[in-house]
Amino acid sequence: MKKLNALILLSMGAFLLWTAIPSAEAGWGSLFDGVKGLVSGGSLQDKDIAAGLKEALRIGADNSVAQVGQIDGYLKNPDIHIGLPGPVAKAEKLLRFAGYGDQVDAFETSMNRAAEQAAPQAKEIFWQAIGDMTLDDAKQILNGGDTAATDYFAERTRPQLAKIFSPIVHDSLATVGATRKFQEIDTTLKSLPLGESLSLDLDRYVTDGALNGLFVILGEEERKIRENPAARTTDLLKKVFGAAK
């Protein structure tokens, strides 16, 4: 049973090796055979297995944060793009009809820029959650669904990330001009026939959008790993998966 559990955890580590490195160095079949051989030979200990899994998760977390934290990481990705908040979207046609389309577009762009600036702060929090992971956590991830690892991150990190993101988003919204643009839109809308004042917590709206997008990307990466596992070349992963040629 102990060997079987080790095999399960090693297999999970392979599934969670993230895809930012361009090419696979071994197919799933050969990787599985190699891992099975290592377990049968008793050459790995639990600490090696856990360390390999954690390193794989760190790679994935870093890649996801880097993807959303770059210029256009949110703005040009339709899956996580932060769109106009409800009150603004409701009044969008009226605003564009009145000649304020450029103002609306600039506001939408600035919200996404604020999210892109905040995203890199997630890296340290993800690493902390990975460091706290136990072997039992790994088993739960293995027995979970296609986004079990992403769910693990969300459960362990989202409240803390929200606290960290909120002030960064607030400052970023001011820096990129989103706060001013929102206030201008609000003033403009109130001056138009049938217009009404916007009621919105802009900081919270963008913070929620930034976190939602980050976890969407994590989930997409996890699904890819489960479907297309690939070997990695760091020293630790060579030790854990070295027999997979």
PDB file of all heavy atoms in Angstrom, residues 86-126:
ATOM      1  N   GLY A  86     -21.452  46.460 -14.521  1.00  0.00           N
ATOM      2  CA  GLY A  86     -22.874  46.504 -14.857  1.00  0.00           C
ATOM      3  C   GLY A  86     -23.466  47.881 -15.076  1.00  0.00           C
ATOM      4  O   GLY A  86     -24.082  48.143 -16.123  1.00  0.00           O
ATOM      5  N   PRO A  87     -23.296  48.808 -14.133  1.00  0.00           N
ATOM      6  CA  PRO A  87     -23.910  50.124 -14.306  1.00  0.00           C
ATOM      7  C   PRO A  87     -23.394  50.866 -15.535  1.00  0.00           C
ATOM      8  O   PRO A  87     -24.144  51.581 -16.198  1.00  0.00           O
ATOM      9  CB  PRO A  87     -23.520  50.860 -13.016  1.00  0.00           C
ATOM     10  CG  PRO A  87     -23.283  49.770 -12.023  1.00  0.00           C
ATOM     11  CD  PRO A  87     -22.682  48.646 -12.812  1.00  0.00           C
ATOM     12  N   VAL A  88     -22.091  50.705 -15.843  1.00  0.00           N
ATOM     13  CA  VAL A  88     -21.523  51.362 -17.020  1.00  0.00           C
ATOM     14  C   VAL A  88     -21.975  50.659 -18.291  1.00  0.00           C
ATOM     15  O   VAL A  88     -22.325  51.307 -19.292  1.00  0.00           O
ATOM     16  CB  VAL A  88     -19.984  51.407 -16.950  1.00  0.00           C
ATOM     17  CG1 VAL A  88     -19.419  52.139 -18.169  1.00  0.00           C
ATOM     18  CG2 VAL A  88     -19.519  52.086 -15.672  1.00  0.00           C
ATOM     19  N   ALA A  89     -21.975  49.319 -18.256  1.00  0.00           N
ATOM     20  CA  ALA A  89     -22.419  48.563 -19.425  1.00  0.00           C
ATOM     21  C   ALA A  89     -23.870  48.902 -19.769  1.00  0.00           C
ATOM     22  O   ALA A  89     -24.237  48.988 -20.953  1.00  0.00           O
ATOM     23  CB  ALA A  89     -22.276  47.064 -19.158  1.00  0.00           C
ATOM     24  N   LYS A  90     -24.669  49.092 -18.745  1.00  0.00           N
ATOM     25  CA  LYS A  90     -26.085  49.429 -18.950  1.00  0.00           C
ATOM     26  C   LYS A  90     -26.239  50.767 -19.672  1.00  0.00           C
ATOM     27  O   LYS A  90     -27.143  50.963 -20.495  1.00  0.00           O
ATOM     28  CB  LYS A  90     -26.798  49.465 -17.597  1.00  0.00           C
ATOM     29  CG  LYS A  90     -28.284  49.749 -17.681  1.00  0.00           C
ATOM     30  CD  LYS A  90     -28.903  49.757 -16.280  1.00  0.00           C
ATOM     31  CE  LYS A  90     -30.389  50.105 -16.341  1.00  0.00           C
ATOM     32  NZ  LYS A  90     -30.984  50.131 -14.969  1.00  0.00           N
ATOM     33  N   ALA A  91     -25.328  51.686 -19.370  1.00  0.00           N
ATOM     34  CA  ALA A  91     -25.405  53.032 -19.948  1.00  0.00           C
ATOM     35  C   ALA A  91     -24.486  53.200 -21.158  1.00  0.00           C
ATOM     36  O   ALA A  91     -24.387  54.307 -21.711  1.00  0.00           O
ATOM     37  CB  ALA A  91     -25.031  54.063 -18.890  1.00  0.00           C
ATOM     38  N   GLU A  92     -23.819  52.110 -21.581  1.00  0.00           N
ATOM     39  CA  GLU A  92     -22.813  52.221 -22.642  1.00  0.00           C
ATOM     40  C   GLU A  92     -23.382  52.812 -23.937  1.00  0.00           C
ATOM     41  O   GLU A  92     -22.780  53.709 -24.552  1.00  0.00           O
ATOM     42  CB  GLU A  92     -22.189  50.850 -22.920  1.00  0.00           C
ATOM     43  CG  GLU A  92     -21.111  50.894 -24.003  1.00  0.00           C
ATOM     44  CD  GLU A  92     -20.507  49.527 -24.271  1.00  0.00           C
ATOM     45  OE1 GLU A  92     -20.980  48.527 -23.672  1.00  0.00           O
ATOM     46  OE2 GLU A  92     -19.568  49.468 -25.080  1.00  0.00           O
ATOM     47  N   LYS A  93     -24.515  52.313 -24.392  1.00  0.00           N
ATOM     48  CA  LYS A  93     -25.087  52.800 -25.646  1.00  0.00           C
ATOM     49  C   LYS A  93     -25.393  54.288 -25.571  1.00  0.00           C
ATOM     50  O   LYS A  93     -25.136  55.044 -26.525  1.00  0.00           O
ATOM     51  CB  LYS A  93     -26.350  52.012 -25.987  1.00  0.00           C
ATOM     52  CG  LYS A  93     -26.095  50.582 -26.418  1.00  0.00           C
ATOM     53  CD  LYS A  93     -27.397  49.897 -26.829  1.00  0.00           C
ATOM     54  CE  LYS A  93     -27.140  48.474 -27.284  1.00  0.00           C
ATOM     55  NZ  LYS A  93     -28.398  47.787 -27.694  1.00  0.00           N
ATOM     56  N   LEU A  94     -25.914  54.714 -24.453  1.00  0.00           N
ATOM     57  CA  LEU A  94     -26.234  56.122 -24.273  1.00  0.00           C
ATOM     58  C   LEU A  94     -24.961  56.961 -24.307  1.00  0.00           C
ATOM     59  O   LEU A  94     -24.915  58.026 -24.948  1.00  0.00           O
ATOM     60  CB  LEU A  94     -26.974  56.327 -22.952  1.00  0.00           C
ATOM     61  CG  LEU A  94     -27.311  57.774 -22.567  1.00  0.00           C
ATOM     62  CD1 LEU A  94     -28.223  58.401 -23.623  1.00  0.00           C
ATOM     63  CD2 LEU A  94     -27.964  57.810 -21.191  1.00  0.00           C
ATOM     64  N   LEU A  95     -23.922  56.500 -23.643  1.00  0.00           N
ATOM     65  CA  LEU A  95     -22.662  57.235 -23.600  1.00  0.00           C
ATOM     66  C   LEU A  95     -22.022  57.323 -24.992  1.00  0.00           C
ATOM     67  O   LEU A  95     -21.534  58.388 -25.393  1.00  0.00           O
ATOM     68  CB  LEU A  95     -21.699  56.562 -22.620  1.00  0.00           C
ATOM     69  CG  LEU A  95     -22.038  56.718 -21.130  1.00  0.00           C
ATOM     70  CD1 LEU A  95     -21.251  55.730 -20.288  1.00  0.00           C
ATOM     71  CD2 LEU A  95     -21.741  58.154 -20.676  1.00  0.00           C
ATOM     72  N   ARG A  96     -22.043  56.212 -25.712  1.00  0.00           N
ATOM     73  CA  ARG A  96     -21.446  56.216 -27.051  1.00  0.00           C
ATOM     74  C   ARG A  96     -22.276  57.092 -27.996  1.00  0.00           C
ATOM     75  O   ARG A  96     -21.713  57.802 -28.849  1.00  0.00           O
ATOM     76  CB  ARG A  96     -21.342  54.793 -27.579  1.00  0.00           C
ATOM     77  CG  ARG A  96     -20.321  53.939 -26.823  1.00  0.00           C
ATOM     78  CD  ARG A  96     -20.060  52.607 -27.512  1.00  0.00           C
ATOM     79  NE  ARG A  96     -19.130  51.786 -26.728  1.00  0.00           N
ATOM     80  CZ  ARG A  96     -17.809  51.934 -26.734  1.00  0.00           C
ATOM     81  NH1 ARG A  96     -17.249  52.863 -27.494  1.00  0.00           N
ATOM     82  NH2 ARG A  96     -17.034  51.144 -26.006  1.00  0.00           N
ATOM     83  N   PHE A  97     -23.569  57.038 -27.858  1.00  0.00           N
ATOM     84  CA  PHE A  97     -24.438  57.861 -28.700  1.00  0.00           C
ATOM     85  C   PHE A  97     -24.171  59.348 -28.465  1.00  0.00           C
ATOM     86  O   PHE A  97     -24.257  60.175 -29.388  1.00  0.00           O
ATOM     87  CB  PHE A  97     -25.908  57.545 -28.399  1.00  0.00           C
ATOM     88  CG  PHE A  97     -26.892  58.341 -29.212  1.00  0.00           C
ATOM     89  CD1 PHE A  97     -27.158  58.007 -30.535  1.00  0.00           C
ATOM     90  CD2 PHE A  97     -27.545  59.433 -28.644  1.00  0.00           C
ATOM     91  CE1 PHE A  97     -28.067  58.760 -31.285  1.00  0.00           C
ATOM     92  CE2 PHE A  97     -28.452  60.185 -29.395  1.00  0.00           C
ATOM     93  CZ  PHE A  97     -28.705  59.846 -30.723  1.00  0.00           C
ATOM     94  N   ALA A  98     -23.823  59.675 -27.237  1.00  0.00           N
ATOM     95  CA  ALA A  98     -23.558  61.065 -26.881  1.00  0.00           C
ATOM     96  C   ALA A  98     -22.135  61.494 -27.219  1.00  0.00           C
ATOM     97  O   ALA A  98     -21.734  62.631 -26.935  1.00  0.00           O
ATOM     98  CB  ALA A  98     -23.828  61.282 -25.395  1.00  0.00           C
ATOM     99  N   GLY A  99     -21.346  60.564 -27.797  1.00  0.00           N
ATOM    100  CA  GLY A  99     -19.988  60.913 -28.223  1.00  0.00           C
ATOM    101  C   GLY A  99     -18.899  60.639 -27.218  1.00  0.00           C
ATOM    102  O   GLY A  99     -17.778  61.159 -27.349  1.00  0.00           O
ATOM    103  N   TYR A 100     -19.192  59.814 -26.233  1.00  0.00           N
ATOM    104  CA  TYR A 100     -18.200  59.529 -25.195  1.00  0.00           C
ATOM    105  C   TYR A 100     -17.616  58.111 -25.315  1.00  0.00           C
ATOM    106  O   TYR A 100     -17.161  57.527 -24.343  1.00  0.00           O
ATOM    107  CB  TYR A 100     -18.816  59.720 -23.811  1.00  0.00           C
ATOM    108  CG  TYR A 100     -19.202  61.143 -23.533  1.00  0.00           C
ATOM    109  CD1 TYR A 100     -20.504  61.580 -23.742  1.00  0.00           C
ATOM    110  CD2 TYR A 100     -18.254  62.064 -23.091  1.00  0.00           C
ATOM    111  CE1 TYR A 100     -20.863  62.903 -23.505  1.00  0.00           C
ATOM    112  CE2 TYR A 100     -18.612  63.392 -22.853  1.00  0.00           C
ATOM    113  CZ  TYR A 100     -19.914  63.803 -23.074  1.00  0.00           C
ATOM    114  OH  TYR A 100     -20.258  65.108 -22.846  1.00  0.00           O
ATOM    115  N   GLY A 101     -17.599  57.551 -26.513  1.00  0.00           N
ATOM    116  CA  GLY A 101     -17.085  56.203 -26.733  1.00  0.00           C
ATOM    117  C   GLY A 101     -15.623  56.053 -26.360  1.00  0.00           C
ATOM    118  O   GLY A 101     -15.224  55.057 -25.736  1.00  0.00           O
ATOM    119  N   ASP A 102     -14.792  57.037 -26.733  1.00  0.00           N
ATOM    120  CA  ASP A 102     -13.364  56.961 -26.403  1.00  0.00           C
ATOM    121  C   ASP A 102     -13.153  56.946 -24.893  1.00  0.00           C
ATOM    122  O   ASP A 102     -12.263  56.262 -24.374  1.00  0.00           O
ATOM    123  CB  ASP A 102     -12.615  58.147 -27.013  1.00  0.00           C
ATOM    124  CG  ASP A 102     -12.516  58.065 -28.529  1.00  0.00           C
ATOM    125  OD1 ASP A 102     -12.755  56.965 -29.074  1.00  0.00           O
ATOM    126  OD2 ASP A 102     -12.201  59.092 -29.167  1.00  0.00           O
ATOM    127  N   GLN A 103     -13.960  57.692 -24.196  1.00  0.00           N
ATOM    128  CA  GLN A 103     -13.869  57.749 -22.732  1.00  0.00           C
ATOM    129  C   GLN A 103     -14.208  56.385 -22.120  1.00  0.00           C
ATOM    130  O   GLN A 103     -13.537  55.911 -21.192  1.00  0.00           O
ATOM    131  CB  GLN A 103     -14.827  58.815 -22.222  1.00  0.00           C
ATOM    132  CG  GLN A 103     -14.562  59.298 -20.811  1.00  0.00           C
ATOM    133  CD  GLN A 103     -15.460  60.469 -20.444  1.00  0.00           C
ATOM    134  OE1 GLN A 103     -16.466  60.741 -21.104  1.00  0.00           O
ATOM    135  NE2 GLN A 103     -15.108  61.176 -19.384  1.00  0.00           N
ATOM    136  N   VAL A 104     -15.223  55.741 -22.657  1.00  0.00           N
ATOM    137  CA  VAL A 104     -15.619  54.424 -22.175  1.00  0.00           C
ATOM    138  C   VAL A 104     -14.519  53.401 -22.450  1.00  0.00           C
ATOM    139  O   VAL A 104     -14.168  52.588 -21.579  1.00  0.00           O
ATOM    140  CB  VAL A 104     -16.940  53.981 -22.849  1.00  0.00           C
ATOM    141  CG1 VAL A 104     -17.248  52.518 -22.520  1.00  0.00           C
ATOM    142  CG2 VAL A 104     -18.090  54.870 -22.409  1.00  0.00           C
ATOM    143  N   ASP A 105     -13.949  53.443 -23.658  1.00  0.00           N
ATOM    144  CA  ASP A 105     -12.881  52.498 -24.018  1.00  0.00           C
ATOM    145  C   ASP A 105     -11.651  52.686 -23.136  1.00  0.00           C
ATOM    146  O   ASP A 105     -11.023  51.707 -22.709  1.00  0.00           O
ATOM    147  CB  ASP A 105     -12.491  52.681 -25.485  1.00  0.00           C
ATOM    148  CG  ASP A 105     -13.597  52.259 -26.439  1.00  0.00           C
ATOM    149  OD1 ASP A 105     -14.447  51.457 -26.029  1.00  0.00           O
ATOM    150  OD2 ASP A 105     -13.597  52.733 -27.598  1.00  0.00           O
ATOM    151  N   ALA A 106     -11.292  53.936 -22.870  1.00  0.00           N
ATOM    152  CA  ALA A 106     -10.126  54.220 -22.030  1.00  0.00           C
ATOM    153  C   ALA A 106     -10.337  53.708 -20.607  1.00  0.00           C
ATOM    154  O   ALA A 106      -9.405  53.187 -19.970  1.00  0.00           O
ATOM    155  CB  ALA A 106      -9.846  55.729 -22.021  1.00  0.00           C
ATOM    156  N   PHE A 107     -11.552  53.849 -20.123  1.00  0.00           N
ATOM    157  CA  PHE A 107     -11.866  53.351 -18.780  1.00  0.00           C
ATOM    158  C   PHE A 107     -11.722  51.830 -18.720  1.00  0.00           C
ATOM    159  O   PHE A 107     -11.109  51.282 -17.788  1.00  0.00           O
ATOM    160  CB  PHE A 107     -13.289  53.764 -18.402  1.00  0.00           C
ATOM    161  CG  PHE A 107     -13.810  53.121 -17.150  1.00  0.00           C
ATOM    162  CD1 PHE A 107     -13.173  53.309 -15.938  1.00  0.00           C
ATOM    163  CD2 PHE A 107     -14.939  52.303 -17.176  1.00  0.00           C
ATOM    164  CE1 PHE A 107     -13.641  52.715 -14.775  1.00  0.00           C
ATOM    165  CE2 PHE A 107     -15.419  51.715 -16.033  1.00  0.00           C
ATOM    166  CZ  PHE A 107     -14.764  51.921 -14.827  1.00  0.00           C
ATOM    167  N   GLU A 108     -12.247  51.131 -19.711  1.00  0.00           N
ATOM    168  CA  GLU A 108     -12.156  49.668 -19.735  1.00  0.00           C
ATOM    169  C   GLU A 108     -10.704  49.210 -19.812  1.00  0.00           C
ATOM    170  O   GLU A 108     -10.299  48.268 -19.118  1.00  0.00           O
ATOM    171  CB  GLU A 108     -12.953  49.124 -20.915  1.00  0.00           C
ATOM    172  CG  GLU A 108     -13.077  47.610 -20.924  1.00  0.00           C
ATOM    173  CD  GLU A 108     -14.115  47.121 -21.922  1.00  0.00           C
ATOM    174  OE1 GLU A 108     -14.697  47.961 -22.644  1.00  0.00           O
ATOM    175  OE2 GLU A 108     -14.348  45.907 -21.975  1.00  0.00           O
ATOM    176  N   THR A 109      -9.917  49.863 -20.640  1.00  0.00           N
ATOM    177  CA  THR A 109      -8.498  49.513 -20.749  1.00  0.00           C
ATOM    178  C   THR A 109      -7.782  49.726 -19.427  1.00  0.00           C
ATOM    179  O   THR A 109      -6.988  48.880 -18.992  1.00  0.00           O
ATOM    180  CB  THR A 109      -7.818  50.363 -21.841  1.00  0.00           C
ATOM    181  OG1 THR A 109      -8.384  50.048 -23.107  1.00  0.00           O
ATOM    182  CG2 THR A 109      -6.310  50.092 -21.885  1.00  0.00           C
ATOM    183  N   SER A 110      -8.050  50.829 -18.766  1.00  0.00           N
ATOM    184  CA  SER A 110      -7.346  51.151 -17.525  1.00  0.00           C
ATOM    185  C   SER A 110      -7.662  50.158 -16.412  1.00  0.00           C
ATOM    186  O   SER A 110      -6.794  49.858 -15.576  1.00  0.00           O
ATOM    187  CB  SER A 110      -7.671  52.576 -17.079  1.00  0.00           C
ATOM    188  OG  SER A 110      -9.054  52.730 -16.799  1.00  0.00           O
ATOM    189  N   MET A 111      -8.866  49.618 -16.370  1.00  0.00           N
ATOM    190  CA  MET A 111      -9.183  48.595 -15.369  1.00  0.00           C
ATOM    191  C   MET A 111      -8.316  47.353 -15.570  1.00  0.00           C
ATOM    192  O   MET A 111      -7.804  46.771 -14.599  1.00  0.00           O
ATOM    193  CB  MET A 111     -10.660  48.217 -15.453  1.00  0.00           C
ATOM    194  CG  MET A 111     -11.620  49.253 -14.945  1.00  0.00           C
ATOM    195  SD  MET A 111     -13.303  48.584 -14.804  1.00  0.00           S
ATOM    196  CE  MET A 111     -13.644  48.132 -16.510  1.00  0.00           C
ATOM    197  N   ASN A 112      -8.145  46.933 -16.805  1.00  0.00           N
ATOM    198  CA  ASN A 112      -7.322  45.759 -17.094  1.00  0.00           C
ATOM    199  C   ASN A 112      -5.849  46.015 -16.803  1.00  0.00           C
ATOM    200  O   ASN A 112      -5.138  45.121 -16.349  1.00  0.00           O
ATOM    201  CB  ASN A 112      -7.525  45.340 -18.552  1.00  0.00           C
ATOM    202  CG  ASN A 112      -8.851  44.648 -18.783  1.00  0.00           C
ATOM    203  OD1 ASN A 112      -8.984  43.446 -18.629  1.00  0.00           O
ATOM    204  ND2 ASN A 112      -9.872  45.436 -19.131  1.00  0.00           N
ATOM    205  N   ARG A 113      -5.407  47.242 -17.046  1.00  0.00           N
ATOM    206  CA  ARG A 113      -4.025  47.589 -16.722  1.00  0.00           C
ATOM    207  C   ARG A 113      -3.786  47.510 -15.212  1.00  0.00           C
ATOM    208  O   ARG A 113      -2.722  47.079 -14.753  1.00  0.00           O
ATOM    209  CB  ARG A 113      -3.705  48.997 -17.227  1.00  0.00           C
ATOM    210  CG  ARG A 113      -3.680  49.112 -18.744  1.00  0.00           C
ATOM    211  CD  ARG A 113      -2.444  48.444 -19.326  1.00  0.00           C
ATOM    212  NE  ARG A 113      -2.387  48.630 -20.778  1.00  0.00           N
ATOM    213  CZ  ARG A 113      -2.478  47.644 -21.651  1.00  0.00           C
ATOM    214  NH1 ARG A 113      -2.613  46.391 -21.228  1.00  0.00           N
ATOM    215  NH2 ARG A 113      -2.418  47.887 -22.935  1.00  0.00           N
ATOM    216  N   ALA A 114      -4.755  47.928 -14.439  1.00  0.00           N
ATOM    217  CA  ALA A 114      -4.625  47.853 -12.982  1.00  0.00           C
ATOM    218  C   ALA A 114      -4.504  46.402 -12.529  1.00  0.00           C
ATOM    219  O   ALA A 114      -3.703  46.074 -11.645  1.00  0.00           O
ATOM    220  CB  ALA A 114      -5.816  48.522 -12.311  1.00  0.00           C
ATOM    221  N   ALA A 115      -5.284  45.508 -13.123  1.00  0.00           N
ATOM    222  CA  ALA A 115      -5.216  44.081 -12.779  1.00  0.00           C
ATOM    223  C   ALA A 115      -3.858  43.506 -13.147  1.00  0.00           C
ATOM    224  O   ALA A 115      -3.280  42.706 -12.390  1.00  0.00           O
ATOM    225  CB  ALA A 115      -6.329  43.328 -13.501  1.00  0.00           C
ATOM    226  N   GLU A 116      -3.333  43.901 -14.290  1.00  0.00           N
ATOM    227  CA  GLU A 116      -2.026  43.403 -14.732  1.00  0.00           C
ATOM    228  C   GLU A 116      -0.916  43.845 -13.780  1.00  0.00           C
ATOM    229  O   GLU A 116       0.037  43.100 -13.539  1.00  0.00           O
ATOM    230  CB  GLU A 116      -1.741  43.896 -16.154  1.00  0.00           C
ATOM    231  CG  GLU A 116      -2.640  43.255 -17.207  1.00  0.00           C
ATOM    232  CD  GLU A 116      -2.753  44.047 -18.495  1.00  0.00           C
ATOM    233  OE1 GLU A 116      -2.029  45.062 -18.640  1.00  0.00           O
ATOM    234  OE2 GLU A 116      -3.554  43.669 -19.353  1.00  0.00           O
ATOM    235  N   GLN A 117      -1.053  45.019 -13.220  1.00  0.00           N
ATOM    236  CA  GLN A 117      -0.057  45.514 -12.278  1.00  0.00           C
ATOM    237  C   GLN A 117      -0.131  44.801 -10.935  1.00  0.00           C
ATOM    238  O   GLN A 117       0.887  44.621 -10.255  1.00  0.00           O
ATOM    239  CB  GLN A 117      -0.225  47.027 -12.078  1.00  0.00           C
ATOM    240  CG  GLN A 117       0.156  47.854 -13.294  1.00  0.00           C
ATOM    241  CD  GLN A 117       0.034  49.347 -13.052  1.00  0.00           C
ATOM    242  OE1 GLN A 117      -0.112  49.800 -11.908  1.00  0.00           O
ATOM    243  NE2 GLN A 117       0.092  50.131 -14.110  1.00  0.00           N
ATOM    244  N   ALA A 118      -1.316  44.378 -10.545  1.00  0.00           N
ATOM    245  CA  ALA A 118      -1.492  43.726  -9.243  1.00  0.00           C
ATOM    246  C   ALA A 118      -1.103  42.255  -9.275  1.00  0.00           C
ATOM    247  O   ALA A 118      -0.633  41.706  -8.264  1.00  0.00           O
ATOM    248  CB  ALA A 118      -2.938  43.863  -8.779  1.00  0.00           C
ATOM    249  N   ALA A 119      -1.272  41.593 -10.409  1.00  0.00           N
ATOM    250  CA  ALA A 119      -1.122  40.134 -10.504  1.00  0.00           C
ATOM    251  C   ALA A 119       0.200  39.583  -9.978  1.00  0.00           C
ATOM    252  O   ALA A 119       0.207  38.534  -9.316  1.00  0.00           O
ATOM    253  CB  ALA A 119      -1.347  39.688 -11.948  1.00  0.00           C
ATOM    254  N   PRO A 120       1.350  40.196 -10.236  1.00  0.00           N
ATOM    255  CA  PRO A 120       2.612  39.616  -9.764  1.00  0.00           C
ATOM    256  C   PRO A 120       2.691  39.403  -8.262  1.00  0.00           C
ATOM    257  O   PRO A 120       3.488  38.582  -7.785  1.00  0.00           O
ATOM    258  CB  PRO A 120       3.666  40.638 -10.233  1.00  0.00           C
ATOM    259  CG  PRO A 120       3.051  41.273 -11.444  1.00  0.00           C
ATOM    260  CD  PRO A 120       1.593  41.372 -11.098  1.00  0.00           C
ATOM    261  N   GLN A 121       1.868  40.117  -7.502  1.00  0.00           N
ATOM    262  CA  GLN A 121       1.896  39.969  -6.049  1.00  0.00           C
ATOM    263  C   GLN A 121       1.389  38.606  -5.595  1.00  0.00           C
ATOM    264  O   GLN A 121       1.594  38.216  -4.438  1.00  0.00           O
ATOM    265  CB  GLN A 121       1.053  41.066  -5.395  1.00  0.00           C
ATOM    266  CG  GLN A 121       1.479  42.478  -5.775  1.00  0.00           C
ATOM    267  CD  GLN A 121       2.925  42.758  -5.462  1.00  0.00           C
ATOM    268  OE1 GLN A 121       3.403  42.416  -4.383  1.00  0.00           O
ATOM    269  NE2 GLN A 121       3.628  43.388  -6.400  1.00  0.00           N
ATOM    270  N   ALA A 122       0.741  37.861  -6.501  1.00  0.00           N
ATOM    271  CA  ALA A 122       0.197  36.554  -6.135  1.00  0.00           C
ATOM    272  C   ALA A 122       1.287  35.503  -5.974  1.00  0.00           C
ATOM    273  O   ALA A 122       1.093  34.497  -5.284  1.00  0.00           O
ATOM    274  CB  ALA A 122      -0.809  36.090  -7.189  1.00  0.00           C
ATOM    275  N   LYS A 123       2.424  35.709  -6.598  1.00  0.00           N
ATOM    276  CA  LYS A 123       3.462  34.677  -6.625  1.00  0.00           C
ATOM    277  C   LYS A 123       3.888  34.240  -5.223  1.00  0.00           C
ATOM    278  O   LYS A 123       3.922  33.048  -4.916  1.00  0.00           O
ATOM    279  CB  LYS A 123       4.667  35.186  -7.403  1.00  0.00           C
ATOM    280  CG  LYS A 123       5.821  34.194  -7.486  1.00  0.00           C
ATOM    281  CD  LYS A 123       6.953  34.755  -8.344  1.00  0.00           C
ATOM    282  CE  LYS A 123       8.139  33.812  -8.366  1.00  0.00           C
ATOM    283  NZ  LYS A 123       9.232  34.331  -9.222  1.00  0.00           N
ATOM    284  N   GLU A 124       4.210  35.193  -4.382  1.00  0.00           N
ATOM    285  CA  GLU A 124       4.683  34.862  -3.035  1.00  0.00           C
ATOM    286  C   GLU A 124       3.614  34.121  -2.234  1.00  0.00           C
ATOM    287  O   GLU A 124       3.930  33.185  -1.476  1.00  0.00           O
ATOM    288  CB  GLU A 124       5.109  36.130  -2.305  1.00  0.00           C
ATOM    289  CG  GLU A 124       5.692  35.868  -0.921  1.00  0.00           C
ATOM    290  CD  GLU A 124       6.179  37.136  -0.242  1.00  0.00           C
ATOM    291  OE1 GLU A 124       6.301  38.179  -0.934  1.00  0.00           O
ATOM    292  OE2 GLU A 124       6.439  37.101   0.977  1.00  0.00           O
ATOM    293  N   ILE A 125       2.360  34.521  -2.390  1.00  0.00           N
ATOM    294  CA  ILE A 125       1.275  33.874  -1.655  1.00  0.00           C
ATOM    295  C   ILE A 125       1.091  32.438  -2.143  1.00  0.00           C
ATOM    296  O   ILE A 125       0.859  31.519  -1.342  1.00  0.00           O
ATOM    297  CB  ILE A 125      -0.039  34.659  -1.822  1.00  0.00           C
ATOM    298  CG1 ILE A 125       0.159  36.118  -1.395  1.00  0.00           C
ATOM    299  CG2 ILE A 125      -1.155  34.016  -1.004  1.00  0.00           C
ATOM    300  CD1 ILE A 125       0.667  36.279   0.012  1.00  0.00           C
ATOM    301  N   PHE A 126       1.178  32.214  -3.428  1.00  0.00           N
ATOM    302  CA  PHE A 126       1.081  30.859  -3.968  1.00  0.00           C
ATOM    303  C   PHE A 126       2.216  29.983  -3.427  1.00  0.00           C
ATOM    304  O   PHE A 126       2.006  28.835  -3.050  1.00  0.00           O
ATOM    305  CB  PHE A 126       1.133  30.876  -5.491  1.00  0.00           C
ATOM    306  CG  PHE A 126      -0.167  31.279  -6.141  1.00  0.00           C
ATOM    307  CD1 PHE A 126      -0.176  31.843  -7.409  1.00  0.00           C
ATOM    308  CD2 PHE A 126      -1.384  31.101  -5.504  1.00  0.00           C
ATOM    309  CE1 PHE A 126      -1.370  32.217  -8.019  1.00  0.00           C
ATOM    310  CE2 PHE A 126      -2.580  31.469  -6.091  1.00  0.00           C
ATOM    311  CZ  PHE A 126      -2.570  32.028  -7.357  1.00  0.00           C
TER     312      PHE A 126
END
